[in-house]
Amino acid sequence: MSTTFTHASAAERVSREILELLLPHRRAAEPDPHLDTADDFPEQLRQIGDFVRRDEPVIFSLPGFPCKSPNPDKVLSHLPDHGERLALRFLGSLCAEIGKVYAPGAKILICSDGHIFGDVIGVPDEHIDAYGSELRAMIRAEGLDADLDTFDLKDVYGPDLSYDEKRKVAAETLGPSVEELREEVRSDESTLRMYRGITKFLMEDVAEWDGSRSALQRDCRRRAYEVIVRSRAWGELIAEHHPRNVRLSIHPQSRGEAKFGIRLVGAADVWTTPWHSVVLRHADGTWQLMHRRDAERLGREVYEDGRPSHFEATAADGAAEGTGA
């Protein structure tokens, strides 16, 4: 009995150490994440502990890295650039840090969700395929194969169905109805926050619009519901195929929620991601995500391997709050 107790205590201690490595990088819904403690995240402690007690690598699922925004004012192209590279390096470094306190280490499964809602956000499937192929090449080039892997809609339904058919099956069998989601937006603060954030992103992602701003807002609100329906369906697919994984999120999350929000690259806005922006390197060496139109005012475009990669500040500019890799 004492041996079991000792092993359980060791597993709990290591699980806390692993979670404490995540806390400084939490993408929080609250204004005071500096007050976080491991006890605020019992679900994550339980999930991590399940791996630790079995002496297995802790596996995290991270929905994200879908595709680039279709708005050229925000991004350099439809392919991954240095923003994605910095994000991948960060995830690799997180796995390495966990390996220092827990010998079996950690792995992160990037659950690329571009195809699940590509038609709703106006990105063609061939661009999403190209983005995913280049992302996997970037993982290999960075030597992160042992730490990072990918999972997408092709891994669920195979080659026989078209992307439209795959999206339809997922949404209809696993997602909530739009009516159910509308009621949830009215009653749940977290869902309302998500709905507003996605609506904002959709409005910013529109490159051309012939109608009025009010018509654009109505269209983006309608599509925001569909994006959330598809995202919920994708979350269910991830849970079905990888039920034990610790669930991360690139969106802000509150303490105690089932998902743990994670910040990949520094940005002034907690909603900004590498696939909705570019990165600018400030004069002090820090990196910051921002829209392309803003980076063009502050720096010069840099090419790597014949493709636009990032921006370098052209003068000492005083790095903005929230920067860093």
Side-chain angles (χ1 to χ4, degrees):
M1 181 177 296
S2 60
T3 302
T4 303
F5 178 80
T6 301
H7 179 72
S9 298
E12 181 179 347
R13 174 182 54 78
V14 172
S15 298
R16 284 174 172 274
E17 290 180 4
I18 292 172
L19 183 55
E20 285 166 358
L21 291 173
L22 301 179
L23 292 182
H25 310 291
R26 186 167 81 92
R27 180 165 278 191
E30 304 90 351
D32 58 352
H34 60 285
L35 299 179
D36 287 346
T37 69
D39 290 330
D40 294 322
F41 304 91
E43 179 63 13
Q44 285 73 35
L45 279 175
R46 183 193 65 77
Q47 292 173 327
I48 293 170
D50 182 52
F51 288 101
V52 172
R53 284 188 293 274
R54 300 167 189 245
D55 290 324
E56 297 173 350
V58 179
I59 304 178
F60 298 88
S61 290
L62 176 62
F65 295 85
C67 55
K68 284 293 193 180
S69 164
N71 189 341
D73 281 344
K74 297 176 71 172
V75 299
L76 288 165
S77 75
H78 66 280
L79 296 174
D81 53 40
H82 199 62
E84 277 84 359
R85 184 176 291 109
L86 290 175
L88 295 174
R89 287 175 180 174
F90 162 72
L91 294 174
S93 70
L94 199 57
C95 291
E97 288 300 308
I98 292 172
K100 293 177 182 178
V101 301
Y102 178 58
K107 298 178 182 294
I108 298 174
L109 182 68
I110 296 172
C111 302
S112 300
D113 46 3
H115 283 301
I116 196 73
F117 45 61
D119 59 324
V120 182
I121 62 176
V123 178
D125 287 311
E126 55 266 31
H127 282 191
I128 299 171
D129 280 332
Y131 178 93
S133 178
E134 185 62 27
L135 186 75
R136 289 185 287 274
M138 193 176 280
I139 290 172
R140 293 191 296 270
E142 291 291 321
L144 297 172
D145 314 54
D147 301 321
L148 310 180
D149 201 357
T150 61
F151 174 77
D152 65 21
L153 207 55
K154 295 190 295 294
D155 298 313
V156 177
Y157 295 117
D160 295 333
L161 298 179
S162 69
Y163 282 124
D164 283 336
E165 290 169 327
K166 292 171 185 175
R167 286 187 277 262
K168 186 173 186 292
V169 170
E172 290 183 352
T173 60
L174 296 169
S177 70
V178 172
E179 291 73 22
E180 290 170 334
L181 190 57
R182 287 184 188 277
E183 178 57 34
E184 188 176 333
V185 166
R186 285 191 290 267
S187 61
D188 181 73
E189 181 64 30
S190 176
T191 308
L192 175 62
R193 186 172 63 244
M194 173 74 69
Y195 166 73
R196 287 174 172 169
I198 291 174
T199 300
K200 174 176 177 285
F201 266 124
L202 290 174
M203 290 190 67
E204 292 177 347
D205 275 358
V206 173
E208 297 180 1
W209 181 261
D210 295 330
S212 66
R213 181 170 177 81
S214 60
L216 174 61
Q217 288 176 326
R218 287 193 298 272
D219 178 71
C220 291
R221 287 168 182 160
R222 175 189 61 79
R223 289 191 288 131
Y225 281 111
E226 190 62 36
V227 169
I228 297 174
V229 168
R230 306 282 188 88
S231 295
R232 294 280 182 85
W234 184 232
E236 290 298 319
L237 285 172
I238 295 170
E240 283 184 7
H241 287 258
H242 305 282
R244 293 179 56 217
N245 291 9
V246 185
R247 177 69 179 271
L248 302 177
S249 174
I250 53 91
H251 298 301
Q253 302 291 325
S254 298
R255 298 183 184 101
E257 292 198 29
K259 295 176 286 186
F260 186 95
I262 194 87
R263 176 174 52 83
L264 302 178
V265 184
D269 183 340
V270 296
W271 287 90
T272 304
T273 67
W275 41 95
H276 289 99
S277 59
V278 300
V279 279
L280 173 80
R281 188 182 188 195
H282 289 283
D284 65 359
T286 58
W287 296 90
Q288 184 181 7
L289 293 171
M290 62 180 64
H291 292 167
R292 177 182 181 174
R293 60 177 177 267
D294 297 322
E296 287 176 334
R297 291 197 292 267
L298 296 172
R300 64 179 181 86
E301 192 173 293
V302 177
Y303 278 66
E304 290 184 359
D305 299 323
R307 290 213 318 264
S309 168
H310 62 278
F311 286 83
E312 294 272 357
T314 53
D317 58 339
E321 183 180 355
T323 60

